[in-house]
Amino acid sequence: IVAMAYKYTVGQPFMYPRNELNYAENFLHMMFATPCGPYTPNPVLARALDRILILHADHEQNASTSTVRLSGSSGANPYACIASGIACLWGPAHGGANEGCLNMLFDIQRQGGVEKIGEFIKQVKDKNSNTKLMGFGHRVYKNFDPRATLMRETCHEVLNELGLQNDPLFKLALELERIALEDDYFVSRKLYPNVDFYSGIVQKAIGIPVQLFTGIFAMARTIGWIAQWNEMIHDPEQKIGRPRQLYVGAQRRGVVDKSMR
């Protein structure tokens, strides 16, 4: 569905999968092949995409996964539950993380590129500034995101394979990474590059448009959603979800008799 959506946006015919290709290779084929010529998926890019899909497949009780489980607890069918997860992932605070990283890099590039990183970092450190550093730190990992270690290696593999080490945008990303890993401000706050920082760079290098990043995220996360849903419905003690709500409003107030009002 993700590949078909892409083909529709660029006005190209849909490509059917090929049985001899694995999952990641087939996705690249369905994205970038055309009927008028042969297409052989690059193994380095296929491996990179495979890693992105695996690393994003499941990640504890994040917002979309919790949404899928809550929907499923009512007995809704898996298609409806996955749709609810996609609806939650649609929000920029969830599914838009790696897209936000690329947009941040685009903004710095428009302001002058690598030479302007120092100025950008100053704005990030300024509490009175609304400038945000996207793709660094993580709400769950209070230290270095372990997924980012593998994604960083993958990022360099892809850039080397495609000869993009000197591409202005990617040079900017790597310089920003270097500064963040050395600057005491970020190190002391444990604001290390996370998986979204690197996966956005990798997908852009592969040729996936930024607008489709959340679609790739959903494609990967669907596997985790289904696993969570399946686990839930096989739990004999499963009941419909009902998160507890604690009332913190006004205290009890007596009703004055009508004759005394």
Side-chain angles (χ1 to χ4, degrees):
I1 293 173
V2 173
M4 289 175 71
Y6 171 72
K7 284 298 194 185
Y8 179 82
T9 64
V10 295
Q12 293 181 1
F14 304 141
M15 298 299 295
Y16 286 93
R18 287 164 32 198
N19 289 338
E20 73 273 16
L21 300 179
N22 64 31
Y23 193 91
E25 291 170 342
N26 251 321
F27 181 71
L28 291 175
H29 162 75
M30 295 173 75
M31 281 281 290
F32 303 118
T34 58
C36 56
Y39 176 84
T40 303
N42 184 314
V44 174
L45 304 189
R47 184 168 64 250
L49 179 63
D50 201 39
R51 287 174 176 174
I52 288 174
L53 297 177
I54 291 171
L55 293 176
H56 287 84
D58 196 25
H59 198 227
E60 64 161 38
Q61 288 304 305
N62 53 78
S64 56
T65 299
S66 297
T67 301
V68 170
R69 291 189 71 116
L70 194 60
S71 299
S73 73
S74 71
N77 70 60
Y79 299 100
C81 296
I82 296 304
S84 71
I86 291 172
C88 183
L89 197 66
W90 201 309
H94 191 13
N98 48 20
E99 181 179 348
C101 296
L102 260 294
N103 288 335
M104 174 189 70
L105 294 175
F106 289 143
D107 287 341
I108 300 173
Q109 189 70 23
R110 282 192 290 269
Q111 293 167 16
V114 174
E115 291 76 16
K116 293 294 182 179
I117 289 181
E119 188 175 316
F120 172 76
I121 294 295
K122 285 182 181 178
Q123 293 174 359
V124 171
K125 294 178 181 179
D126 184 359
K127 293 182 179 180
N128 297 319
S129 168
N130 292 322
T131 304
K132 292 184 178 180
L133 183 65
M134 305 296 292
F136 289 77
H138 198 279
R139 185 176 176 181
V140 173
Y141 300 121
K142 304 304 181 184
N143 209 307
F144 197 84
D145 183 344
R147 301 171 301 165
T149 303
L150 180 59
M151 210 63 246
R152 181 180 189 276
E153 175 187 312
T154 301
C155 180
H156 286 276
E157 286 178 3
V158 168
L159 296 183
N160 290 333
E161 175 68 17
L162 299 177
L164 293 173
Q165 306 95 319
N166 293 318
D167 179 274
L169 186 69
F170 298 126
K171 283 184 71 174
L172 171 63
L174 297 179
E175 180 62 14
L176 184 60
E177 173 203 42
R178 184 191 67 79
I179 292 175
L181 290 174
E182 296 177 357
D183 193 306
D184 287 339
Y185 178 88
F186 299 107
V187 174
S188 63
R189 289 167 174 74
K190 298 180 179 179
L191 294 174
Y192 301 109
N194 60 35
V195 69
D196 297 311
F197 179 79
Y198 296 112
S199 66
I201 296 171
V202 171
Q203 291 181 73
K204 178 72 169 58
I206 289 175
I208 297 170
V210 176
Q211 298 90 332
L212 200 63
F213 283 4
T214 306
I216 305 294
F217 195 164
M219 181 171 73
R221 189 54 61 84
T222 296
I223 304 299
W225 289 338
I226 287 293
Q228 293 265 359
W229 177 87
N230 195 45
E231 174 192 66
M232 181 187 64
I233 63 169
H234 285 94
D235 183 353
E237 298 181 7
Q238 169 62 29
K239 297 178 182 177
I240 187 169
R242 191 180 178 87
R244 189 178 176 211
Q245 185 173 6
L246 196 62
Y247 179 69
V248 293
Q251 297 300 311
R252 180 174 178 174
R253 292 166 291 177
V255 178
V256 179
D257 187 86
K258 189 175 182 180
S259 62
M260 299 174 64
R261 294 177 193 170

